[in-house]
Amino acid sequence: MKSLDVDTLAKLKDGDQNAFEEIFNGYYPRLYNYASEILKDREKAQEIVEEAFINVWEYRSKIDIVTSLKSYLYRTVYNLCLNDFKHIQVEEKYKIYLSHHLTDYEEDADYPLSHLIKGELENAVSVALNNLPDKCREIFLLSRFDQLSNQEIALKLDITVNTVRTQINRAIIKLKNNLSEYIPLISLIIILLR
């Protein structure tokens, strides 16, 4: 690894924000172009690269780079892009599956189980959302329900895009944890509707 990378990385591990900014400013444009080429979506590429840098900052003390900082950053962005592809594929598969199987039952008034399950899930999601910290909930709702981009939310709330991204990630983690007990219920829906 180059001595410049070693020095900068050592400063980063010590929490030096200037070292982080140096890394961010030096690599962001190239990583953004790289992610854009993979994803073919500029906004998603920006989110992925921002997430990569958020991870670098949050886990700076644990980073162990053997080859080079550049390789580490490119590999991180590449992995996040792959995760995004996998997430989209799974999401699309289940949207199609559930829309095909649930639509008939939701419209059928003689199928009370679907109404009960739907009501329970809606209540659980509502409770989980209400348990989020106020600012975190506000940012998450603006993103997911009002469909605002990270930049639009940042402008609206007068905060940085990184803060928006961090708060959305925290909300998703907390929601996953708070709703984890409902995964068997969702699996039951799928089994019942086969």
Side-chain angles (χ1 to χ4, degrees), residues 132-150:
L132 292 173
D134 293 339
K135 200 59 150 177
C136 186
R137 179 177 55 247
E138 179 183 14
I139 291 169
F140 183 79
L141 293 175
L142 288 171
S143 171
R144 296 309 195 257
F145 292 94
D146 293 347
Q147 303 289 315
L148 296 181
S149 71
N150 290 352

Side-chain angles (χ1 to χ4, degrees), residues 35-54:
S36 293
E37 284 295 314
I38 295 171
L39 299 170
K40 308 296 186 216
D41 181 338
R42 293 185 177 276
E43 187 172 321
K44 183 57 87 171
Q46 183 176 354
E47 289 177 12
I48 292 289
V49 175
E50 288 170 1
E51 183 176 350
F53 280 108
I54 288 169

